[in-house]
Amino acid sequence: MRIGEYAPGGAINGARENHGSNTQTISAAAEDDDLFRTEARVLLELGIGKPMIAEAVALARANGTSIEEQLLASGWLLPENYYAGLARMLRLNFVETLDPDLIYDIDNLDSQLLDPKMLKLHHMPQSMNVIVPQARQIPALQARLAARPDLRPHMQVTTPSEMRRAVWERGAQRRVRQSVNTLFDREPDMSARIVLLGKQGFVAGVAVTALAAGILASADVLLLLHLFVSLFYLAAMAIRFLALAKPAPRFNLRAEENGPLPVYTVMVGLYREAAVAEQLAACLKRLNWPVSKLDIKFVCEADDRETIAALKAQDLGSHFEIVEVPAARPRTKPKALNYALTSARGKYLAVYDAEDRPHPDQLREAHATFLKSPDDIVCLQAPLVIANARDSWISAAFALEYSALFRMLLPVLAMLRLPMPLGGTSNHFKTKILKDAGGWDPHNVTEDADLGMRLYRRGYRCGVLSSHTLEDAPSTAKTWLHQRTRWFKGWLQTWLVLMRDPAQLLREMGIPGFVVFQLLIAGMLLSALAHPWMLFFIGTTIIDLFQQDAAMDPAHRVLLVMDSCNVIASYILFILLGRKRMTPWERRALRLRWLALPLYWMMLSMAAWRAVWQLRSNPFFWEKTPHAPSRKTA
């Protein structure tokens, strides 16, 4: 039974009532604060029990909120009944449903998404203001209306959720245009909307033509190209050798929380995710953060009625909100997140995926880390841990890969204050900086890597957390290939965008940052694309050695040694980096599946070549990864 429902006439359900026993508690808790006393009198007049008010006062003092906010956030009152009661006290009409067509779509309309207070309506026989009153404002409003009774016909009361719903609907088309165009309009050189600039296309065409002509004219050109690729492949592994050799950073998880916690926004992008709605809602309800300071948004495509219905079927509190994004191209997660970003109320903002099971204390650790970190740390990446490594050899290799990236490589990059390619989930941002940076690039299908580099270019840095988020990896080749193609395509988009002006990029990133960017993004792409070529060269060269008695020329001998070292080292590094920070349970889950690593690398190459082709044919296509509820306990 929901506690706090109004009975007919305005009284609430008496499940928490114990009249007379806590009068002194309420007085003692509120006597030092006029606003609390005012609220308490109004709430008592509405019929809300003194014990409930006393409990809400204690929470309000601890969380820096109002009594009213605590009662609503805790689910002890139904908003519709509560605001109808306030309307009766003011002798104003209460409206359950607002017509969005009657709202003025003015410049600051979206401020009502952050703090719903008042809307001005038009097309009425007389002007009308719809308000969301607060309990502490009621005596002042009563006095004003008593002095100006002519104002009553021009005022109505509604709920915060209904005001937000109407504002979302009224500004939908304007907002979706902004979510698609803001970054491109503000900084076109930072946007992947244009895949290849004219000068980039010209340079690429000249380079390819010159290279092809050179190869046809002399075999030495091909050898030089091979040597360059092998050296770059080796250099790209150097940063992973560094991650293996560097000691892991130490984490101090003790929170230094002086005073009330700030509001924390959590956004989850969902599309065709009805199957995991129950699991997702349950995991987010476990977050260790005051519900009155949580702002959780499920960001859904408006035509995905199945997912929206599944979310509405969950018992969601007032701190949850379903944001419906109008259908518009590109149909990407970053576009949807941009659409919801305007309504983010939190000082900090976390992004999760639909299948995520974040550690309940992750927000606490992020907040404590932000407080202890330099001001230029504006993003924190939590490690992603694969929970279904036992499912298949693909998910086992994925688990190794994620362990190496999130528990070995990224912590070292953060410690050295170098560019970080963010993961697509479990990112924690300073909301104001994220908004100032233009949010996510809606045209980049690996928006996380792009955003990490864009923040670095602006002089900001990223850090890491220790509290993890559990995920399930794709366990079939088809699902894995589609997801990895999208990732490679986004990394290629990111590299092309940043390399539009290499000299400027070098100035903004500095030499260490510029080099690391090349080794991380270009190195990852080139190593995947070149891997089968290297295997072919090694195999054919060894066969030739056995079939011919003639000695190999020095150039081919050097390339054979380099390519063999590159391939073998890449496999060994993959395994060592991945296993080093794994728990004993994770290592047991791997068993001997790491023996399939050469096949996994060939799949990486297939995905990379598929991404190159797709970048030309369908650059903004978002290949959806299907998810199912986890069989593991988070």
Side-chain angles (χ1 to χ4, degrees), residues 172-417:
Q173 294 307 314
R174 166 185 53 80
R175 204 174 295 112
V176 78
R177 288 193 300 270
Q178 292 172 343
S179 67
V180 172
N181 298 322
T182 293
L183 180 62
F184 182 79
D185 290 343
R186 186 189 300 176
E187 298 176 286
D189 285 346
M190 295 283 191
S191 170
R193 182 171 179 174
I194 299 175
V195 177
L196 203 64
L197 293 184
K199 61 180 181 181
Q200 286 180 295
F202 175 77
V203 171
V206 169
V208 170
T209 302
L211 186 61
I215 292 173
L216 292 174
S218 172
D220 291 341
V221 175
L222 184 58
L223 285 176
L224 289 173
L225 175 63
H226 191 154
L227 179 62
F228 170 80
V229 171
S230 297
L231 287 172
F232 200 88
Y233 193 114
L234 179 62
M237 286 192 294
I239 197 166
R240 287 164 175 80
F241 276 114
L242 177 65
L244 190 62
K246 271 279 186 182
R250 295 182 179 180
F251 293 91
N252 182 357
L253 304 184
R254 294 187 59 187
E256 297 176 359
E257 297 165 352
N258 298 319
L261 294 171
V263 175
Y264 216 118
T265 294
V266 174
M267 296 206 309
V268 186
L270 301 102
Y271 183 57
R272 297 178 182 172
E273 299 287 9
V276 297
E278 182 178 359
Q279 172 184 280
L280 174 63
C283 290
L284 294 182
K285 288 176 184 178
R286 293 203 298 264
L287 291 174
N288 181 15
W289 200 266
V291 292
S292 59
K293 291 298 188 75
L294 271 177
D295 172 34
I296 301 178
K297 300 185 187 299
F298 295 129
V299 187
C300 305
E301 295 289 333
D303 55 5
D304 185 11
R305 305 317 304 175
E306 185 179 2
T307 300
I308 293 171
L311 290 170
K312 288 181 176 179
Q314 309 307 312
D315 183 19
L316 301 178
S318 60
H319 56 295
F320 287 90
E321 182 179 19
I322 299 173
V323 178
E324 300 185 21
V325 183
R329 290 185 178 276
R331 297 284 286 249
T332 62
K333 171 185 167 185
K335 183 215 60 184
L337 294 179
N338 280 344
Y339 184 87
L341 182 59
T342 185
S343 68
R345 297 190 295 111
K347 180 178 181 180
Y348 304 114
L349 183 151
V351 175
Y352 293 115
D353 281 344
E355 76 278 17
D356 286 352
R357 286 97 72 198
H359 191 287
D361 290 332
Q362 194 175 111
L363 301 190
R364 292 275 183 170
E365 186 193 351
H367 176 239
T369 304
F370 274 128
L371 291 180
K372 296 174 183 177
S373 300
D375 290 342
D376 64 351
I377 300 294
V378 300
C379 176
L380 299 172
Q381 173 69 64
L384 305 181
V385 176
I386 298 303
N388 66 329
R390 295 181 184 270
D391 284 0
S392 72
W393 69 269
I394 292 177
S395 59
F398 206 111
L400 270 174
E401 191 176 12
Y402 261 31
S403 178
L405 176 63
F406 289 102
R407 287 181 265 181
M408 292 292 292
L409 180 59
L410 294 189
V412 168
L413 294 175
M415 184 170 58
L416 298 176
R417 295 173 61 82

Side-chain angles (χ1 to χ4, degrees), residues 1-253:
M1 179 177 67
R2 294 193 66 170
I3 297 173
E5 294 187 10
Y6 280 104
I12 65 166
N13 187 297
R16 300 177 71 94
E17 296 249 20
N18 186 12
H19 288 290
S21 63
N22 279 29
T23 305
Q24 293 180 347
T25 303
I26 296 174
S27 300
E31 64 185 358
D32 296 330
D33 192 321
D34 290 340
L35 292 177
F36 277 1
R37 285 200 297 270
T38 300
E39 275 192 282
R41 285 196 299 269
V42 170
L43 295 170
L44 285 169
E45 188 175 342
L46 281 174
I48 299 172
K50 295 175 182 178
M52 188 186 296
I53 295 175
E55 188 173 344
V57 167
L59 290 171
R61 289 188 180 279
N63 296 330
T65 59
S66 65
I67 308 173
E68 173 185 77
E69 286 178 288
Q70 290 299 147
L71 291 171
L72 291 168
S74 301
W76 298 341
L77 303 178
L78 285 178
E80 294 82 2
N81 292 343
Y82 174 71
Y83 286 99
L86 293 181
R88 284 193 293 272
M89 292 185 73
L90 296 169
R91 290 189 293 151
L92 296 175
N93 288 332
F94 174 74
V95 290
E96 293 185 6
T97 305
L98 293 175
D99 184 354
D101 290 337
L102 300 182
I103 299 173
Y104 290 101
D105 189 13
I106 55 181
D107 289 343
N108 64 344
L109 176 65
D110 288 353
S111 65
Q112 300 306 304
L113 297 174
L114 299 171
D115 189 16
K117 288 291 176 58
M118 187 182 76
L119 286 176
K120 185 176 181 63
L121 306 184
H122 63 87
H123 296 321
M124 303 285 286
Q126 53 191 354
S127 61
M128 183 67 67
N129 290 319
V130 180
I131 65 171
V132 177
Q134 295 177 315
R136 58 182 56 178
Q137 298 171 335
I138 295 301
L141 282 171
Q142 287 175 324
R144 185 183 180 196
L145 290 171
R148 293 282 310 277
D150 57 302
L151 294 177
R152 292 187 191 277
H154 303 276
M155 296 179 69
Q156 295 176 333
V157 174
T158 192
T159 64
S161 60
E162 177 57 24
M163 185 172 287
R164 281 196 298 267
R165 182 204 64 80
V167 170
W168 276 120
E169 189 171 336
R170 181 65 182 92
Q173 294 307 314
R174 166 185 53 80
R175 204 174 295 112
V176 78
R177 288 193 300 270
Q178 292 172 343
S179 67
V180 172
N181 298 322
T182 293
L183 180 62
F184 182 79
D185 290 343
R186 186 189 300 176
E187 298 176 286
D189 285 346
M190 295 283 191
S191 170
R193 182 171 179 174
I194 299 175
V195 177
L196 203 64
L197 293 184
K199 61 180 181 181
Q200 286 180 295
F202 175 77
V203 171
V206 169
V208 170
T209 302
L211 186 61
I215 292 173
L216 292 174
S218 172
D220 291 341
V221 175
L222 184 58
L223 285 176
L224 289 173
L225 175 63
H226 191 154
L227 179 62
F228 170 80
V229 171
S230 297
L231 287 172
F232 200 88
Y233 193 114
L234 179 62
M237 286 192 294
I239 197 166
R240 287 164 175 80
F241 276 114
L242 177 65
L244 190 62
K246 271 279 186 182
R250 295 182 179 180
F251 293 91
N252 182 357
L253 304 184

